[in-house]
Amino acid sequence: MLRDGVTGDWIGTFIGHKGAVWQARLSSDASLAATGSADFSAKVWDTHTGECLHHLQHDHIVRAVAFPPQSRPQLLATGGFEKKLRLFDLSRPSQNASSSASSPTSPNGSGLPGPSSVFEIGPNVHGGAIKSVLWSSDPNVLITAADDKVIRWWDLRSRTPAAIHELEGALGSCEIDSVSSTPSLSVAAGKSAYFFSGIQPGQLLKKVTTPESIAAVALHVGQRKFVTGGADDTWVRLFDLDDEIELDVQKGHHGPVWTVSFAPDGKLYATGSEDGTVKLWKFCSEPYGLWR
């Protein structure tokens, strides 16, 4: 389902999956949407017409999808219960994910797909289901977070990890912030929030441990604040990044809060809960959208 980011108004619905949709992402220019589903498939959609442009069949649940940071992207990365990180070349005809495990690097040395439209990065490396796939600001670096409690930064040129970091708790969310000019990677695991450089693979900037289990976290670098969603309760908490103290608690959800994200302008953040709702919270003092 596609909604207006300011008003929350419904724009349209993408119809075609036959199972729960675990993740949905927009391309940087919002021209394409990608979805990963429990029906063992990922799909790419035209956001203007609602047409399904690509159906990418897998052999198990697809938990994560990611576009590179470019307009009208021609690549899609996927991960899920197969424990496999795959790249699809969307400029070529679709084919089953299982039809090609790997392919040589392209002649220009960019690490992007060569003759085949799909290939696997790092076979047999992930020790658990891949729950998150992210493209860093460097188009040659992909990030994966898996149930084996390891974050990996993959160099697509060598198709090997450029860095890894082991977490101390069960993995929650893993996202790159879309607000700052110097992006950071925010990871929720156990009772801790991890903040990594969004540019330098594996560089841990800060780790903050809280009294409660964290299912999701999002950072606003400019305001030096971060927001968490509770795994064991229904609350959304605001923290000071430097002092590591809780500043505010938002109540309104009726289930665990599994995802949190700041808007690109940093003036509001969204939370998604097991109660079946998405809530938008104002994060500025001036009037914004429907808020006065």
Side-chain angles (χ1 to χ4, degrees):
M1 187 178 294
L2 189 66
R3 291 184 179 271
D4 187 287
V6 175
T7 66
D9 290 343
W10 174 82
I11 295 175
T13 301
F14 303 116
I15 299 175
H17 280 300
K18 296 178 173 61
V21 177
W22 281 102
Q23 190 168 70
R25 291 196 186 276
L26 290 172
S27 61
S28 58
D29 62 357
S31 65
L32 298 175
T35 51
S37 173
D39 65 7
F40 295 13
S41 77
K43 293 180 184 291
V44 178
W45 312 82
D46 185 308
T47 58
H48 299 288
T49 66
E51 178 187 1
C52 179
L53 303 176
H54 300 275
H55 172 89
L56 308 172
Q57 191 64 41
H58 292 64
D59 294 325
H60 214 312
I61 293 170
V62 181
R63 284 293 307 266
V65 292
F67 286 117
Q70 58 189 220
S71 298
R72 200 69 185 183
Q74 296 300 306
L75 293 172
L76 182 73
T78 68
F81 279 41
E82 292 177 282
K83 308 176 187 178
K84 295 179 180 180
L85 171 63
R86 289 193 176 91
L87 280 185
F88 291 86
D89 183 349
L90 303 180
S91 67
R92 297 172 181 268
S94 298
Q95 61 179 255
N96 288 348
S98 58
S99 63
S100 176
S102 63
S103 72
T105 302
S106 61
N108 62 16
S110 66
L112 303 182
S116 176
S117 65
V118 54
F119 71 108
E120 184 181 354
I121 303 293
N124 304 315
V125 171
H126 294 93
I130 299 173
K131 295 182 69 174
S132 185
V133 176
L134 302 165
W135 229 292
S136 75
S137 56
D138 181 346
N140 286 308
V141 177
L142 263 175
I143 304 165
T144 59
D147 276 339
D148 58 8
K149 302 180 183 178
V150 178
I151 309 295
R152 296 175 175 89
W153 288 258
W154 294 92
D155 187 325
L156 296 183
R157 293 159 293 196
S158 64
R159 285 180 279 172
T160 59
I164 64 172
H165 188 97
E166 296 185 6
L167 305 171
E168 296 178 1
L171 177 68
S173 68
C174 177
E175 294 290 342
I176 291 181
D177 81 84
S178 57
V179 178
S180 173
S181 58
T182 55
S184 62
L185 175 69
S186 302
V187 180
K191 294 184 177 181
S192 297
Y194 297 78
F195 303 104
F196 298 90
S197 168
I199 300 173
Q200 183 63 39
Q203 182 183 1
L204 179 63
L205 303 177
K206 188 155 191 172
K207 174 187 172 185
V208 179
T209 300
T210 70
E212 298 83 16
S213 296
I214 302 173
V217 62
L219 174 66
H220 192 305
V221 176
Q223 295 286 337
R224 308 293 293 176
K225 306 285 193 305
F226 67 92
V227 177
T228 66
D232 298 327
D233 58 29
T234 63
W235 296 353
V236 178
R237 293 177 169 86
L238 176 67
F239 289 86
D240 184 282
L241 178 63
D242 298 313
D243 296 334
E244 302 183 14
I245 58 174
E246 184 179 298
L247 301 175
D248 198 8
V249 177
Q250 305 283 10
K251 300 177 182 180
H253 281 299
H254 301 286
V257 179
W258 294 114
T259 183
V260 181
S261 180
F262 277 98
D265 61 10
K267 294 184 178 180
L268 79 160
Y269 59 89
T271 55
S273 169
E274 196 172 297
D275 64 11
T277 66
V278 173
K279 295 185 183 294
L280 303 179
W281 310 86
K282 185 165 170 281
F283 194 68
C284 59
S285 57
E286 68 271 18
Y288 185 86
L290 299 177
W291 291 275
R292 294 292 183 263

